[in-house]
Amino acid sequence: STTGYSLTLSQPLTEDQTWYWRVDTRRSDKILTGPVWSVTPASIRPPRYMEKLGRGVVAFYQGNGNVYVGWRLTGFDPADIAFNLYRNGAKLNSTPIANSTNWLDSNVNIAQDNTYYVRPVRHGIEQPPSVSYTLPANPRQCQYLNFPLSTIPDAPGSYSVRYVYAGDLDGDGEYDLVVCRDCDSLATHKVLEAYRRDGAFSLAWSFWARISRKPIPWSSILTAMAEPKC
């Protein structure tokens, strides 16, 4: 009888490898072959939820003709992935970049626009290019994205930036920016604006909020009016 019988493995199962086993029934006159089972350990784990993001290529001017270029390594990338980096269609690296996701580009002609993108390399074969990033001509020397904020129509006063949030608003795999601006003269008036990472203005909402100290329903404590501006 095999009732209550268990078998302890001598070593743990390796993930992403399929394992097989079979239990045969042994009788006095013959052996009855049992069915074959299989299991792949990685397949029994719950899925890992991640954003579907692109490479997020950015370029910052560092001065003296030097441009820092960085891009994103995603959670879906295999361990052996490498990259080729291009500026204005010309490859900058002689061999695939395998141990970094950034590059210092030197002797760059900053009097013109410079467009950068990367192409992943797997087993010596280039994959499709990433979304490109264009560093405009005569850029400022900085280590952050900068762009002018839009003018607020019919503004009751000046506005100051309070918060900036990053998120993919349009599903293209690249982060956009949501900017929260407070009115300096009217504390209850705020503006939320959406910008693409290249600074292109996307959408704005204005709303006002009234906070009451009276014991009134929660739905009346914060009143918001959303008005798309463009």
Side-chain angles (χ1 to χ4, degrees), residues 131-153:
V131 174
S132 63
Y133 180 87
T134 297
L135 184 68
N138 304 309
R140 294 175 53 186
Q141 181 178 342
C142 63
Q143 298 184 28
Y144 51 86
L145 295 175
N146 68 87
F147 51 83
L149 297 178
S150 66
T151 301
I152 300 175

Side-chain angles (χ1 to χ4, degrees), residues 19-229:
W19 297 79
Y20 303 89
W21 72 94
R22 188 184 74 197
V23 177
D24 296 340
T25 301
R26 184 171 183 176
R27 299 175 55 174
S28 59
D29 56 340
K30 61 180 177 180
I31 296 178
L32 301 177
T33 302
V36 176
W37 289 277
S38 67
V39 63
T40 304
S43 67
I44 63 177
R45 294 182 300 173
R48 180 180 179 184
Y49 295 98
M50 293 182 286
E51 295 177 284
K52 186 178 180 180
L53 297 176
R55 294 297 169 189
V57 177
V58 292
F60 303 130
Y61 181 53
Q62 305 293 285
N64 300 318
N66 297 318
V67 174
Y68 167 84
V69 185
W71 58 95
R72 181 182 294 118
L73 185 71
T74 74
F76 301 100
D77 288 330
D80 61 347
I81 195 169
F83 299 91
N84 287 332
L85 173 64
Y86 291 80
R87 176 188 3 110
N88 300 331
K91 190 170 70 170
L92 300 179
N93 51 294
S94 57
T95 59
I97 305 168
N99 59 355
S100 178
T101 56
N102 55 76
W103 182 273
L104 186 61
D105 191 15
S106 59
N107 300 319
V108 180
N109 180 11
I110 62 170
Q112 65 178 20
D113 291 353
N114 289 281
T115 300
Y116 294 89
Y117 62 88
V118 294
R119 299 189 66 168
V121 179
R122 290 290 319 278
H123 308 300
I125 301 175
E126 277 194 326
Q127 307 301 309
S130 69
V131 174
S132 63
Y133 180 87
T134 297
L135 184 68
N138 304 309
R140 294 175 53 186
Q141 181 178 342
C142 63
Q143 298 184 28
Y144 51 86
L145 295 175
N146 68 87
F147 51 83
L149 297 178
S150 66
T151 301
I152 300 175
D154 305 321
S158 60
Y159 282 75
S160 299
V161 175
R162 185 169 182 84
Y163 301 108
V164 178
Y165 307 95
D168 182 7
L169 301 180
D170 53 10
D172 65 352
E174 302 297 332
Y175 274 148
D176 306 296
L177 301 173
V178 175
V179 179
C180 177
R181 300 166 71 180
D182 290 351
C183 181
D184 296 329
S185 59
L186 188 60
T188 56
H189 199 277
K190 303 177 185 293
V191 171
L192 289 178
E193 300 172 312
Y195 296 84
R196 293 187 173 89
R197 69 185 184 125
D198 60 0
F201 180 69
S202 179
L203 185 67
W205 305 267
S206 67
F207 66 92
W208 60 271
R210 175 174 59 84
I211 300 178
S212 174
R213 298 181 184 275
K214 297 179 181 180
I216 56 178
W218 172 255
S219 59
S220 301
I221 293 179
L222 181 61
T223 303
M225 296 176 60
E227 302 174 354
K229 293 300 182 182

